[in-house]
Each structure stands twice: as C-alpha cells, then as structure tokens.
Amino acid sequence: MSNKEILQRDHETVIGKIIYLSEKEDRQGEERGREYFIINKHANGHRKIVAHCEIDDQPAVMRDITYSLDDNWLPMDCFVRISVGDKFMGSGWFNFGDDFAECETSTLLEGRVSQKMQTQGRL
C-alpha cells in the first residue's frame, strides 16, 4: 500500500499569534500578553479552533480553549480552562444543538454548575 492510499490530508490549517498591547500611558504599545492559535478547516467545512492565551499583567492569566464550529460557522461544542495567578479558576464544557445550549462547569467561586437552556434555533 502506498502513502497516497493510507493518508488523508483534506483539511487546511492556519497557525498564528495575536499580540496584546497595553494602552496604559506609561506602557503604551508594550506587549502585555499573547494568544497562540490553530484553526483546522475540515473538508466538510467544520472548523476546530485551539487557542492558548497568556496575559502578563499581575495577576497573570492563562486560558486554553478548544472550540468547534459547523460548516455554517455555528457553534457545536467548546472546552475552556482558566487560571489566574497560577491558581485554577475554572473549566467548562459547552454543547450546542438545534434548540438548546448546555454546559458543565467547575469553578473556584461557584463549584459545580450544570445548566441546559432551550433556545429559539441555533445560537
């Protein structure tokens, strides 16, 4: 079997970095954080976005996400985790359907939260 018969590379990938700049007078234009991202576009039009965000201002913030969109750019699911000052603050999983949005989260302040909401169509 040749490599062409076993490989499937029908997606596109974009990798990038967003720089967050300060607007404070004494730090105007200085880098205060960054976000690294990867976007995969699959052959069926679905997209997956993975991002890692860092804010350097005290207390430092780190956020990681994985976010899935369908071929019409409508949300399918998402996972988020955040820490502030190296302390876990929360994580959550979100799921979206034709007539609902639901989440399961665990946060330092609220504890475990489960919620499902009916919607008027897709969000």
Side-chain angles (χ1 to χ4, degrees), residues 93-108:
W93 169 76
F94 304 86
N95 187 42
F96 304 93
D98 290 336
D99 62 352
F100 70 91
E102 63 184 336
C103 73
E104 293 289 331
T105 62
S106 175
T107 72
L108 188 64

Side-chain angles (χ1 to χ4, degrees), residues 80 88-93 104-113:
V80 180
F88 170 80
M89 294 302 290
S91 65
W93 169 76
E104 293 289 331
T105 62
S106 175
T107 72
L108 188 64
L109 300 176
E110 288 96 14
R112 176 79 183 257
V113 177

